[in-house]
Amino acid sequence: MKVCEKGTRFITSLLVLYCMSLLSCATADPVLDTSPIQGHWVGFGDIIVTWCNQDQLSFDIFVSEDGLVHGKIGDATIIDGHVYRRSSFMRNTGNGNYIVRANLQGFLVKEERIARDSIAFMFDLVNGSIEGEMNTSGSKCGTRDRMYMKVANIILNRVEGE
């Protein structure tokens, strides 16, 4: 019986540590210095789901000095967007230094009537460009009306003179 109790305590300890690690992954810090990413950014990313006929999604975003993000992704308008610095765990595991979390209004791909409620856009600043990938809200399984959309190979360039 004592061996069983030790095993139960060990498994419980592992579960607690696992839950704590998930919490640290999800925690993002506000960006204190937005100057490297402030401004107007435009570009494209590759849609990598099979159920969308369109190959690319356009990005036209603005990052303000207080970290607010607005603009358009595809045909959708960004609502309540904010840029965060990724947790140290996420940065150290190659997941990008920054993340934009935002709600969307309208269709991402109007022609195909594809709409999603929100996005998570993970990125790094690389040689003066924003490079990253994005996931929308939605489920991993189901129909095209409910599944999340993945956009990879996103490259945005700063619009100069604004």
Side-chain angles (χ1 to χ4, degrees):
M1 186 72 169
K2 290 184 182 186
V3 172
C4 185
E5 287 177 20
K6 286 183 181 180
T8 302
R9 278 192 218 138
F10 178 72
I11 290 172
T12 302
S13 298
L14 284 178
L15 284 172
V16 168
L17 288 173
Y18 175 72
C19 290
M20 288 173 52
S21 72
L22 287 178
L23 182 61
S24 72
C25 291
T27 304
D29 300 322
V31 176
L32 300 176
D33 178 17
T34 62
S35 57
I37 55 175
Q38 260 181 49
H40 184 187
W41 299 86
V42 296
F44 294 91
D46 297 328
I47 298 173
I48 59 168
V49 294
T50 58
W51 45 263
C52 180
N53 295 321
Q54 186 170 305
D55 293 333
Q56 289 192 318
L57 204 58
S58 63
F59 288 73
D60 187 354
I61 66 171
F62 299 82
V63 179
S64 69
E65 66 183 59
D66 55 359
L68 296 177
V69 179
H70 67 279
K72 292 185 79 83
I73 298 176
D75 298 313
T77 301
I78 297 170
I79 306 294
D80 300 324
H82 203 282
V83 63
Y84 299 94
R85 186 147 169 82
R86 297 298 294 267
S87 69
S88 59
F89 177 80
M90 294 303 281
R91 288 191 310 266
N92 292 331
T93 55
N95 287 290
N97 286 314
Y98 302 98
I99 185 167
V100 170
R101 295 194 186 279
N103 295 321
L104 298 176
Q105 182 176 34
F107 293 103
L108 274 168
V109 182
K110 189 174 184 178
E111 185 175 295
E112 297 182 50
R113 303 192 56 77
I114 298 171
R116 295 297 179 269
D117 293 330
S118 62
I119 58 104
F121 171 30
M122 297 74 57
F123 68 92
D124 281 315
L125 197 58
V126 180
N127 298 323
S129 295
I130 287 178
E131 295 185 11
E133 60 184 42
M134 181 186 84
N135 294 321
T136 68
S137 57
S139 62
K140 292 188 182 223
C141 307
T143 65
R144 69 181 305 225
D145 295 330
R146 291 196 163 82
M147 292 177 68
Y148 79 98
M149 178 184 281
K150 175 115 177 140
V151 181
N153 306 318
I154 299 169
I155 299 176
L156 308 181
N157 293 300
R158 189 186 305 269
V159 176
E160 297 299 331
E162 287 190 25

